[in-house]
Amino acid sequence: MLFVIKVGGNVIDNPALLQSFLEDFAAIKGPKILIHGGGKIATRIGDQLGIESNYVNGRRITDAATIDVVTMVYGGLVNKQLVAKLQAVGCNAIGMTGADANVIPAVKRPVKEIDYGFVGDINTANLNVGPLKAMLDAGLTPVFAPLTHDTHGQMLNTNADTIASSLAIALSAHYEVRLIYCFEKKGVLRDAQDDNAVINLINRSIYAELLEQKVLTDGILPKLENAFSAIESGVKEVLIGHAADVRSNTTGTVAGTLIC
């Protein structure tokens, strides 16, 4: 089993929670890949540099100044701090972006109603997973920042949930894959105000009912869309749950929301 694990939300910003998560992640047996976010840190650094963050429908508008900031913060500051912390707990991690080894080529999102700027869209069929397999076979753990490239020298800001889903799909041709989205909630919640209102199982029909009832928050919708995309493209299992449950979610016991 290959575990493709995305961590984000407030976990990255909480030193104690992050340290606990990284210790649990390091303890996972067998091959694993980590994908991380870091949007709040990028916003904070951007503010310090006088570069304002702009969002539309929860998505960051990435102009020329912003792509420089997110490349520095995601690919540098956050990525290398995570790699260093993993090395400290015995996990031989290697920091990556989609440009490294040309693993995730992407295309700049076409301008339609909204110009998202330097944002990358991924075609999963174009991923180059050979280098990842070689790293995993060598006992290395790739740690991906949410950045891709256009193969013409331009870095692109790309949603970390999407990168996780795309990697899981591409690698499912070679491994049995469990994709896990870790954040600060216990799973997909029926009531956003009740942390214990976890929906343990979601399939397409249940998802349609939840959308009709309008009980899901905007932040969880991209995770669910990516989850269903992964399941329908060969990934065996997708879990959405709390970062503190990552160890149980890699040893057989399911805590959180299972997508099937």
Side-chain angles (χ1 to χ4, degrees), residues 187-190 198-211 215-216 220 224 227-228 231 238 240 256-260:
V188 180
L189 304 178
R190 187 172 291 278
V198 177
I199 305 167
N200 296 115
L201 181 72
I202 298 179
N203 56 28
R204 273 290 185 187
S205 62
I206 294 171
Y207 184 41
E209 291 173 15
L210 294 169
L211 287 175
V215 299
L216 300 174
I220 204 70
L224 286 168
F228 281 114
I231 288 290
V238 183
I240 299 174
T257 303
L258 182 67
I259 313 297
C260 63

Side-chain angles (χ1 to χ4, degrees), residues 6-11 17 40 180-199 217 219-220 223 239-246 249 255-257:
K6 187 264 176 172
V7 63
N10 294 329
V11 179
L17 188 56
K40 290 182 180 178
I180 304 175
Y181 289 113
C182 294
F183 64 147
E184 69 279 1
K185 300 291 185 181
K186 293 181 179 179
V188 180
L189 304 178
R190 187 172 291 278
D191 177 357
Q193 306 307 314
D194 181 0
D195 282 349
N196 293 312
V198 177
I199 305 167
T217 61
I220 204 70
K223 283 184 175 60
L239 273 163
I240 299 174
H242 199 287
D245 292 325
V246 69
N249 279 335
T257 303

Side-chain angles (χ1 to χ4, degrees), residues 1-254:
M1 174 78 76
L2 168 67
F3 296 105
V4 177
I5 299 174
K6 187 264 176 172
V7 63
N10 294 329
V11 179
I12 298 288
D13 305 300
N14 183 321
L17 188 56
L18 178 61
Q19 183 62 32
S20 177
F21 167 80
L22 293 175
E23 289 172 3
D24 287 342
F25 178 83
I28 295 168
K29 304 298 184 187
K32 52 188 179 282
I33 296 174
L34 182 65
I35 303 93
H36 65 81
K40 290 182 180 178
I41 299 171
T43 298
R44 187 171 70 243
I45 299 292
D47 288 345
Q48 292 170 2
L49 296 171
I51 298 167
E52 185 179 350
S53 296
N54 294 309
Y55 291 86
V56 175
N57 299 328
R59 304 281 188 176
R60 187 187 294 271
I61 303 296
T62 309
D63 59 15
T66 303
I67 190 62
D68 286 350
V69 171
V70 298
T71 300
M72 288 188 291
V73 175
Y74 298 160
L77 180 65
V78 177
N79 187 265
K80 298 314 172 194
Q81 285 181 340
L82 290 177
V83 168
K85 289 178 186 297
L86 284 170
Q87 296 291 359
V89 291
C91 178
N92 196 6
I94 180 168
M96 302 280 291
T97 72
D100 295 294
N102 191 33
V103 171
I104 314 175
V107 296
K108 185 174 179 288
R109 182 169 297 168
V111 177
K112 296 180 181 175
E113 296 84 11
I114 300 164
D115 183 358
Y116 284 98
F118 294 102
V119 167
D121 289 332
I122 302 170
N123 180 345
T124 302
N126 293 336
L127 266 64
N128 298 301
V129 297
L132 283 185
K133 288 183 76 255
M135 290 176 198
L136 293 168
D137 289 345
L140 293 169
T141 296
V143 178
F144 274 90
L147 296 163
T148 58
H149 74 128
D150 70 354
T151 73
H152 302 291
Q154 178 63 56
M155 294 299 292
L156 297 168
N157 184 17
T158 304
N159 181 269
D161 289 345
T162 303
I163 287 179
S165 175
S166 298
L167 286 171
I169 291 167
L171 287 160
S172 67
H174 307 280
Y175 302 88
E176 192 174 86
V177 178
R178 176 179 285 185
L179 171 61
I180 304 175
Y181 289 113
C182 294
F183 64 147
E184 69 279 1
K185 300 291 185 181
K186 293 181 179 179
V188 180
L189 304 178
R190 187 172 291 278
D191 177 357
Q193 306 307 314
D194 181 0
D195 282 349
N196 293 312
V198 177
I199 305 167
N200 296 115
L201 181 72
I202 298 179
N203 56 28
R204 273 290 185 187
S205 62
I206 294 171
Y207 184 41
E209 291 173 15
L210 294 169
L211 287 175
E212 192 173 327
Q213 294 164 7
K214 294 183 167 53
V215 299
L216 300 174
T217 61
D218 289 344
I220 204 70
L221 294 177
K223 283 184 175 60
L224 286 168
E225 284 301 325
N226 281 308
F228 281 114
S229 173
I231 288 290
E232 290 161 5
S233 301
V235 175
K236 187 183 181 195
E237 299 166 332
V238 183
L239 273 163
I240 299 174
H242 199 287
D245 292 325
V246 69
R247 190 174 295 198
S248 65
N249 279 335
T250 54
T251 54
T253 306
V254 172

